[in-house]
């Protein structure tokens, strides 16, 4: 995949017209030559890291696989997107053959392979989300996995909303976490820069005709009792996220224009510790 995501005619991205799209497979979305909020976060780390990520996609971790399964069970339960791995003795010839046949079938059908334990946990997490009254109300009406494509200052942009509510002007992002408490999620926002994601998606909704949307996180814990909490970032946080998005976009555009994707600064940099570390 090319690292360059500049719009050629400002009307489409890889044949998909700018605007809102339903039903685009996730793998197709990933290949679309447009910049996402995750891509801009990588640009913040260094353009070199961004280019490496799109040219050499990594295999999902166990935590990411669990999150994907929770999304599928909660948001797209009618789609066959996963399969439970059989329990076979791969030390035997028959077991190896059965496993190879299973893997080949799952790969051919593009299914996520999960264990029985992962399925049991994901189902419990799904049930916890649906049992939360405000989460259930937001997910009662709307569309899952909505792709938004737009152009910003000559650059093709993309975003994929977990859920676009029908009865509320809300975009929902479903996240799994070790700690869904207010303090725990506040740390996660800072660590994973969720305020950049929220700002990017709010811009996406505005640019693609979905209007002014609130961005709400539904957070479910991955361990029992699978606590669930809902959060909305304040104006200060969204403004800060927007500033960082624009700064990363400027850096990205410069890399496209120059063809240079630098890593970390080459000079010696001073390091100052945070007060708590002294």
């Amino acid at each position: 995949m090319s690292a360059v995501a500049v719009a050629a005619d400002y009307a489409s991205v890889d044949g998909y017209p700018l605007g809102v799209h339903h039903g685009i497979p996730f793998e197709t979305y990933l290949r679309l030559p447009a910049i996402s909020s995750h891509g801009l976060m990588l640009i913040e780390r260094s353009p070199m890291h961004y280019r490496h990520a799109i040219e050499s996609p990594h295999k999902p971790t166990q935590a990411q696989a669990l999150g994907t399964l929770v999304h599928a069970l909660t948001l797209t339960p009618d789609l066959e997107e996963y399969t439970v791995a059989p329990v076979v003795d791969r030390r035997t010839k028959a077991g190896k053959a059965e496993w190879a046949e299973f893997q080949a079938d799952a790969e051919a059908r593009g299914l996520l392979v999960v264990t029985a334990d992962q399925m049991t946990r994901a189902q419990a997490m799904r049930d916890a989300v649906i049992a939360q009254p405000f989460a259930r109300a937001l997910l009662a009406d709307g569309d899952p996995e909505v792709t938004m494509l737009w152009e910003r200052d000559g650059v093709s942009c993309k975003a994929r909303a977990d859920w676009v509510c029908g009865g509320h002007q809300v975009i929902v992002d479903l996240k799994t976490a070790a700690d869904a408490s207010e303090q725990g999620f506040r740390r996660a926002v800072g660590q994973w820069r969720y305020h950049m994601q929220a700002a990017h998606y709010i811009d996406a909704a505005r640019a693609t005709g979905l209007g002014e949307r609130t961005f709400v996180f539904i957070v479910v814990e991955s361990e029992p009792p699978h606590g669930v909490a809902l959060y909305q970032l304040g104006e200060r946080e969204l403004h800060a996220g927007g500033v960082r998005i624009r700064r990363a976009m400027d850096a990205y555009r410069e890399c496209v224009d120059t063809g240079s994707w630098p890593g970390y600064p080459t000079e010696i940099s001073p390091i100052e510790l945070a007060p708590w570390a002294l």
Side-chain angles (χ1 to χ4, degrees), residues 2-163:
S2 170
V4 178
V6 174
D9 57 10
Y10 307 142
S12 67
V13 176
D14 205 25
Y16 289 95
L18 302 186
V20 177
H21 296 270
H22 304 272
I24 293 181
F26 184 57
E27 291 302 319
T28 301
Y29 168 79
L30 290 178
R31 292 192 297 268
L32 290 176
I35 192 73
S36 65
S37 60
H38 178 66
L40 291 169
M41 293 175 199
L42 287 172
I43 288 287
E44 274 202 328
R45 184 174 181 183
S46 88
M48 178 178 67
H49 285 82
Y50 167 77
R51 183 151 190 163
H52 174 77
I54 65 170
E55 292 178 347
S56 305
H58 74 283
K59 184 178 179 180
T61 64
Q62 289 295 313
Q64 289 170 332
L66 177 65
T68 299
L69 181 57
V70 173
H71 273 73
L73 290 173
T74 308
L75 305 176
T76 56
D78 295 332
L79 299 181
E80 187 180 10
E81 301 175 286
Y82 46 83
T83 182
V84 178
V87 179
V88 298
D89 187 353
R90 282 182 274 173
R91 296 170 298 179
T92 67
K93 183 177 180 179
K96 289 178 181 177
E98 183 179 351
W99 181 256
E101 181 180 357
F102 166 78
Q103 277 196 313
D105 178 68
E107 184 175 344
R109 296 162 61 194
L111 301 179
L112 173 70
V113 176
V114 300
T115 66
D117 287 343
Q118 285 177 318
M119 177 60 75
T120 299
R121 180 188 293 190
Q123 288 172 333
M125 295 167 69
R126 182 267 321 272
D127 292 346
V129 170
I130 299 304
Q132 212 279 358
F134 288 99
R136 184 170 64 252
L138 288 175
L139 299 177
D141 180 30
D143 296 297
E145 308 298 346
V146 177
T147 295
M148 295 171 281
L149 302 175
W150 74 106
E151 176 270 329
R152 180 170 183 169
D153 298 332
V155 175
S156 296
C157 301
K158 65 181 179 181
R160 187 176 177 89
D162 287 347
W163 187 266

Side-chain angles (χ1 to χ4, degrees), residues 125 127-130 132 135 180 218-221 225-231:
M125 295 167 69
D127 292 346
V129 170
I130 299 304
Q132 212 279 358
I218 298 177
V219 190
V220 56
E221 292 177 340
H226 303 302
V228 177
L230 280 70
Y231 297 105

Side-chain angles (χ1 to χ4, degrees), residues 145-190:
E145 308 298 346
V146 177
T147 295
M148 295 171 281
L149 302 175
W150 74 106
E151 176 270 329
R152 180 170 183 169
D153 298 332
V155 175
S156 296
C157 301
K158 65 181 179 181
R160 187 176 177 89
D162 287 347
W163 187 266
V164 174
C165 294
H168 309 272
Q169 286 297 103
V170 174
I171 292 176
V172 170
D173 193 68
L174 178 61
K175 293 196 179 298
T176 59
D179 183 356
S181 69
E182 183 175 341
Q183 182 178 7
F185 192 66
R186 185 183 294 114
R187 287 195 300 267
V189 171

